[in-house]
């Protein structure tokens, strides 16, 4: 858990940790609970008890016998089947597997050409075999693994409720008696998290079972097993990770799997943290791959894909496949090479997948922040912060996943403060790798600049904190500095670029006092001396004119925009320095010290761009068409400075409304992709 340094308030009320889950009560063994105390009651299929009202149901022999009275085939009683199973298992241990093989065949999938009368009778009596094997679970050791696999692979979800109850009871007895099978049993159940087939609920001789009922039976079985063996939750966590859909799997598989994960943690709260971390980790991987694919495509093709998805957002799930093909045709109608068409289709599917998963996650997280001052919100935000520090921040190309933090951090002022404070702490920690400190500075600047609910006092405080830190770094290094060097002073340049970016977007919040109303007179700023927050101008002046020369290293589009705005507002005039910098070659100062930087200088040789900072600001415009609705009200769009480039503004009023020409200049270069806002 990350300790947070608040930006405005010095302390925040700490949320109390949830009490130990009731589902994990201590037992005499410390690991396994009694079978008859695990909640597998007569009504367990229709209405699983809530954690606050758990039913306690005991299994009695006479009840079990009564269930089987009407389940006899050709006069065979339950005792007869039990005897057969017991003899077969003992014989199998002595290398006589004739009866053992007969039992295995009982659980084999039914074939269309099954005509053998004895085989049909055996399959009809499958419930008796399940109950008989339950009582002999202690004999099902590793020598019986093929029989266990056959039982776990049988068609059980779509049978009558009595059979399903007996089967789940068997799973519990097997896992309790033979710990080696716990992973296999849990894995069989998790395999259904990708979705259950409708045909599984339409078995011959059994009443039809719909998909919702089939899915419920999977979770009832998991709930029963985890109540019976609380320690199995650790095994389940690793299984959930290993079986998570791969990035190449379909959108439907991802959505279904995640929905099942969320349903799972409703009755296994001890897995909540692991499950949310798993989802975030896999989402970031999809995010990165999608971004790489988009950058490889032609700009116009990438824009057409996003536009097609936006137009298709109202389509139903039933028509997704057909709509996808028709939309793809419209995007790739001019493509002549089949491989290019296939690649575009893959990119389109990944964008749609990413969009749907994020929209689902916004919906999942949103109820926790219904009251952003609640304990639930505090705990969930701590979870999000942990994901940010451990998963999102170290992933340089993450493009959209971080907007979960962007949105929910702005649901309350204290959460804004908490997220900004976390970024400040990460950026200033000298013990952290330089590349992570630089990335944290980029997140801090982007959040403060783009967050519509980030108050002016936070903007000023962050500006001051970064400025003070820059003074410390400058004082420590200026004496020995030979010239601008990205590798050696990467953190200094990243923090300077953060200030330039914040200034370009939030300069209005850095004005301490002004009687000018820009809404009444858009050119009123021209030629006026504005009163700036004390220390702002002095800090930037010391930084910019230091021997470390950050304007030569920071991204040229950001520097150019800062120079233009600061000059127009009579804040600072840096054009002479920019002219001088044109004569400086960065390669002569570049050190071989591998200190880490957001820009990998690599073997760029004399190419100056390889020695300059990449303009990475992780909250640049959000492009996913469906989930975009969650962040639209949280976002600060670019506003041109009144009176600056007035002629251009008048010629392109519509472009200014969507972000403006200046916005395009800054944003396109800062994201590394096209932002069609």
């Amino acid at each position: 858990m990350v300790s947070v340094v608040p930006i405005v308030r010095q302390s925040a009320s700490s949320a109390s940790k949830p009490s130990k889950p009731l589902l994990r009560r201590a037992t005499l063994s410390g690991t396994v609970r009694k079978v008859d105390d695990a909640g597998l009651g007569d009504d367990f299929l229709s209405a699983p008890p809530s954690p606050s009202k758990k039913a306690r149901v005991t299994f009695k022999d006479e009840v079990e016998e009564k269930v089987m009275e009407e389940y006899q085939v050709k006069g065979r009683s339950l005792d007869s089947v039990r005897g057969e199973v017991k003899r077969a298992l003992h014989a199998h241990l002595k290398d006589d597997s004739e009866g053992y093989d007969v039992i295995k065949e009982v659980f084999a999938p039914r074939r269309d050409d099954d005509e053998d009368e004895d085989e049909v009778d055996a399959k009809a009596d499958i419930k008796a075999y399940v109950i008989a094997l339950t009582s002999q679970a202690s004999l099902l050791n590793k020598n019986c693994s093929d029989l266990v696999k056959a039982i776990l692979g049988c068609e059980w979800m779509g049978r009558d409720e009595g059979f399903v109850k007996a089967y789940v009871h068997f799973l519990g007895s097997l896992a309790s008696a033979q710990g080696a099978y716990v992973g296999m049993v849990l894995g069989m159940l998790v395999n259904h998290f990708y979705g259950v087939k409708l045909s599984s609920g339409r078995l011959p001789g059994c009443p039809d079972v719909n998909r919702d009922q089939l899915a419920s039976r999977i979770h009832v079985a998991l709930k029963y097993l985890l109540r019976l063996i609380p320690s199995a939750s650790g095994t389940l966590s690793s299984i959930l990770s290993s079986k998570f859909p791969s990035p190449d799997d379909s959108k439907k598989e991802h959505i279904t799997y995640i929905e099942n994960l969320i349903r799972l943690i409703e009755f296994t709260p001890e897995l909540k943290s692991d499950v949310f971390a798993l989802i975030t980790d896999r989402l970031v991987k999809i995010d990165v791959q999608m971004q790489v694919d988009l950058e490889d495509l032609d700009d116009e093709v990438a824009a057409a894909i996003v536009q097609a998805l936006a137009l298709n957002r109202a389509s139903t799930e039933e028509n997704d496949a057909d709509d996808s093909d028709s939309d793809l045709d419209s995007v790739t109608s001019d493509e002549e090479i089949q491989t290019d068409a296939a690649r575009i289709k893959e990119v389109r599917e990944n964008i749609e997948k990413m969009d749907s998963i994020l929209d689902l996650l916004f919906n999942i997280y949103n109820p926790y922040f219904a009251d952003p001052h609640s304990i639930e919100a505090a705990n969930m935000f701590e979870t999000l912060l942990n994901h940010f520090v451990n998963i999102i921040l170290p992933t340089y190309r993450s493009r959209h996943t971080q907007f979960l933090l962007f949105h929910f951090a702005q649901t309350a002022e204290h959460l804004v403060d908490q997220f900004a404070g976390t970024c400040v702490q990460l950026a200033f920690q000298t013990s952290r790798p330089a590349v992570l400190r630089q990335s944290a500075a980029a997140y801090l600047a982007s959040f403060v600049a783009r967050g519509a609910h980030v108050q002016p006092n936070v903007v000023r405080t962050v500006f001051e904190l970064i400025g003070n830190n820059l003074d410390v770094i400058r004082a420590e290094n200026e004496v020995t500095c030979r010239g601008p060097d990205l590798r050696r002073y990467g953190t200094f340049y990243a923090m300077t670029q953060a200030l330039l970016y914040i200034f370009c977007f939030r300069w209005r919040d850095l004005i301490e006092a002004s009687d000018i109303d820009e809404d009444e007179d858009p050119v009123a700023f021209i030629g006026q001396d504005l009163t700036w927050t004390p220390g702002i101008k002095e800090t930037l002046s010391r930084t910019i004119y230091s021997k470390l020369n950050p304007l030569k290293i920071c991204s040229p589009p950001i520097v150019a925009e800062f120079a233009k705005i600061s000059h127009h507002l009579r804040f600072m005039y840096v054009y002479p320095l920019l002219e001088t910098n044109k004569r400086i070659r960065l390669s002569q100062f570049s050190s071989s010290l591998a200190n880490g930087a957001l820009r990998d200088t690599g073997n760029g040789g004399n190419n100056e761009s390889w020695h300059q900072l990449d303009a990475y600001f992780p909250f640049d415009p959000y492009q996913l068409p469906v989930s975009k609705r969650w962040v639209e009200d949280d976002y600060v769009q670019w506003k041109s400075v009144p009176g600056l480039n007035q002629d251009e503004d008048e010629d392109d009023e519509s472009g200014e409304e969507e972000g403006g020409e200046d916005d395009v200049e800054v944003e396109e270069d800062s994201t590394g992709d096209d932002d069609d806002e």
Side-chain angles (χ1 to χ4, degrees):
M1 181 175 298
V2 179
S3 58
V4 176
V5 179
I7 290 295
V8 179
R9 288 158 294 282
Q10 294 297 320
S11 63
S13 58
S14 58
S16 59
K17 296 183 178 179
S19 58
K20 190 174 181 181
L22 297 177
L23 300 185
R24 300 293 299 276
R25 290 202 301 268
T27 63
L28 293 176
S29 65
T31 303
V32 180
R33 295 176 60 190
K34 293 171 60 179
V35 172
D36 62 359
D37 190 34
L40 192 61
D42 292 332
D43 60 347
F44 85 112
L45 293 175
S46 56
S50 64
S52 60
K53 297 181 179 179
K54 296 194 294 292
R56 295 172 60 90
V57 180
T58 59
F59 291 92
K60 298 181 180 180
D61 292 339
E62 57 267 26
V63 174
E64 191 175 73
E65 296 288 356
K66 183 176 180 180
V67 170
M68 293 306 300
E69 282 180 1
E70 58 182 1
Y71 206 79
Q72 296 181 2
V73 178
K74 288 192 174 181
R76 296 185 66 196
S77 65
L78 176 60
D79 284 338
S80 173
V81 177
R82 277 176 168 165
E84 176 192 345
V85 169
K86 186 174 182 179
R87 288 191 299 271
L89 293 178
H90 280 289
H92 176 65
L93 296 177
K94 298 177 181 179
D95 295 328
D96 179 5
S97 300
E98 182 178 357
Y100 176 84
D101 291 337
V102 170
I103 298 175
K104 276 200 305 182
E105 188 62 30
V106 170
F107 295 94
R110 178 184 289 275
R111 299 186 299 271
D112 294 336
D113 59 348
D114 279 346
E115 296 181 357
D116 184 84
E117 185 176 352
D118 292 336
E119 187 173 359
V120 174
D121 288 343
K123 289 188 180 296
D125 212 22
I126 187 173
K127 180 177 177 180
Y129 280 96
V130 169
I131 294 176
L133 285 164
T134 299
S135 62
Q136 300 298 325
S138 60
L139 297 178
L140 298 176
N141 56 27
K142 62 180 181 180
N143 295 320
C144 300
S145 61
D146 52 347
L147 173 59
V148 171
K149 290 179 181 178
I151 299 172
L152 296 183
C154 76
E155 298 172 321
W156 65 274
M157 290 185 298
R159 296 184 179 273
D160 63 90
E161 292 190 2
F163 176 85
V164 175
K165 177 180 176 182
Y167 186 85
V168 174
H169 190 179
F170 164 77
L171 296 180
S173 296
L174 175 67
S176 299
Q178 305 288 344
Y181 290 124
V182 170
M184 188 184 297
V185 171
L186 295 175
M188 178 272 292
L189 296 171
V190 173
N191 280 337
H192 296 290
F193 276 20
Y194 300 102
V196 292
K197 297 180 180 179
L198 190 59
S199 59
S200 299
R202 295 178 178 177
L203 302 181
C206 299
D208 288 351
V209 182
N210 62 40
R211 277 200 177 94
D212 290 340
Q213 290 174 310
L214 293 172
S216 293
R217 290 178 173 184
I218 296 299
H219 287 280
V220 166
L222 281 168
K223 185 175 183 178
Y224 171 67
L225 288 168
L226 293 173
R227 285 186 173 185
L228 187 65
I229 313 172
S231 61
S233 61
T235 303
L236 178 58
S237 180
S238 62
I239 291 173
L240 296 174
S241 177
S242 65
K243 292 186 178 294
F244 197 97
S246 71
D248 295 332
D249 288 336
S250 69
K251 176 187 75 174
K252 182 178 180 182
E253 287 178 308
H254 277 84
I255 294 297
T256 304
Y257 195 89
I258 292 173
E259 288 175 340
N260 276 297
L261 290 179
I262 300 305
R263 187 170 180 178
L264 172 70
I265 62 176
E266 291 177 1
F267 55 86
T268 55
E270 65 272 20
L271 292 179
K272 183 177 180 180
S273 178
D274 289 349
V275 164
F276 278 119
L278 171 63
I279 296 172
T280 303
D281 178 71
R282 302 309 167 87
L283 181 62
V284 165
K285 288 179 171 60
I286 299 172
D287 197 358
V288 169
Q289 186 58 50
M290 183 196 75
Q291 194 63 21
V292 171
D293 292 341
L294 280 175
E295 291 174 359
D296 289 341
L297 289 177
D298 179 83
D299 294 344
E300 293 183 359
V301 174
I305 292 175
V306 175
Q307 183 180 11
L309 285 171
L311 294 174
N312 193 39
R313 62 184 298 177
S315 298
T316 61
E317 282 293 326
E318 290 77 13
N319 294 326
D320 269 351
D322 295 335
D323 290 341
S324 297
D325 292 338
S326 62
D327 288 337
L328 182 62
D329 291 339
S330 66
V331 174
T332 63
S333 57
D334 296 332
E335 295 293 329
E336 298 178 357
I337 303 175
Q338 186 62 32
T339 54
D340 288 344
R343 186 162 60 94
I344 292 172
K345 180 179 180 181
E346 181 181 357
V347 172
R348 181 198 184 285
E349 290 173 348
N350 285 337
I351 295 175
E352 190 174 20
K353 182 194 309 177
M354 184 74 191
D355 197 8
S356 297
I357 294 174
L358 266 173
D359 194 56
L360 174 62
L361 289 181
F362 275 116
N363 271 303
I364 290 170
Y365 282 112
N366 195 51
Y368 291 96
F369 294 91
D371 178 5
H373 299 278
S374 66
I375 292 178
E376 290 77 12
N379 290 337
M380 184 51 70
F381 196 68
E382 284 290 345
T383 297
L384 284 170
L385 283 177
N386 282 327
H387 296 169
F388 169 71
V389 174
N390 298 312
I391 302 172
I392 300 174
L393 180 67
T395 307
Y396 175 58
R397 284 183 176 269
S398 179
R399 179 66 179 82
H400 293 94
T401 308
Q402 56 263 30
F403 276 86
L404 290 168
L405 271 299
F406 184 79
H407 172 68
F408 292 111
Q410 295 189 69
T411 56
E413 288 187 21
H414 72 282
L415 298 181
V416 168
D417 190 40
Q418 193 173 357
F419 181 58
T422 299
C423 291
V424 167
Q425 184 185 29
L426 293 171
F428 294 169
Q429 280 184 348
T430 57
S431 60
R432 289 188 174 272
V435 67
L436 292 184
R437 296 176 63 195
Q438 295 163 35
S439 185
Y443 270 96
L444 177 62
S446 196
F447 178 67
V448 170
R450 291 293 201 172
H453 305 293
V454 176
Q455 298 300 312
N457 64 317
V458 176
V459 176
R460 291 190 289 269
T461 302
V462 168
F463 208 95
E464 180 182 358
L465 286 172
I466 295 178
N468 292 340
N469 193 262
L470 285 172
D471 280 340
V472 173
I473 298 176
R474 178 183 53 79
E476 291 175 348
N477 295 280
E478 196 165 23
V479 175
T480 58
C481 177
R482 295 173 52 247
D485 187 343
L486 175 59
R487 282 190 177 271
R488 187 179 296 273
Y489 312 115
T491 301
F492 178 86
Y493 298 125
M495 291 184 180
T496 302
Q497 184 162 281
L499 286 189
L500 302 183
Y501 190 77
I502 292 174
F503 183 89
C504 289
F505 276 89
R506 303 298 291 262
W507 59 267
R508 295 166 179 82
D509 295 324
L510 299 175
I511 299 174
E512 187 177 58
S514 176
D515 296 329
I516 300 174
D517 187 346
E518 60 178 288
D519 293 329
E520 294 180 1
D521 185 0
V523 298
F525 285 103
I526 297 178
Q528 299 296 318
D529 288 322
L530 303 175
T531 304
W532 299 90
T533 300
I536 293 290
K537 184 180 296 187
E538 292 78 9
T539 297
L540 269 179
S541 180
R542 288 192 300 269
T543 298
I544 289 173
Y545 289 100
S546 69
K547 289 180 65 176
L548 281 73
N549 195 358
L551 295 192
K552 181 62 179 178
I553 298 292
C554 292
S555 175
I558 305 298
V559 172
E561 195 65 27
F562 169 78
K564 184 167 55 176
I565 294 175
S566 63
H567 173 51
H568 177 72
L569 297 175
R570 304 178 71 170
F571 176 78
M572 188 177 297
Y573 186 65
V574 297
Y575 284 108
L577 177 59
L578 298 185
E579 288 298 318
T580 301
N581 282 344
K582 290 179 181 180
R583 298 188 291 271
I584 297 177
R585 298 189 65 82
L586 292 174
S587 56
Q588 65 180 315
F589 300 109
S590 179
S591 70
S592 59
L593 180 64
N595 193 31
L598 286 179
R599 162 71 76 184
D600 182 7
T601 56
N603 296 315
N606 294 325
N607 188 340
E608 290 289 279
S609 65
W610 286 100
H611 300 283
Q612 292 175 314
L613 193 64
D614 194 7
Y616 173 65
F617 293 100
F619 295 121
D620 275 356
Y622 191 97
Q623 291 182 309
L624 301 178
V626 176
S627 54
K628 184 178 181 179
R629 62 192 174 94
W630 290 96
V631 299
E632 286 178 325
D633 293 336
D634 303 325
Y635 208 70
V636 171
Q637 299 292 348
W638 177 262
K639 294 181 181 179
S640 295
V641 179
L644 182 61
N645 297 333
Q646 186 174 3
D647 294 337
E648 296 179 7
D649 293 341
E650 291 174 354
D651 293 337
D652 192 14
E653 291 180 0
S654 60
E656 183 180 356
E657 183 178 351
E658 291 296 326
E661 184 176 348
D662 292 331
D663 198 21
V664 173
E665 181 181 11
V666 174
E667 291 176 2
E668 286 186 356
D669 284 287
S670 65
T671 59
D673 56 50
D674 292 322
D675 298 313
D676 302 290
E677 291 231 333

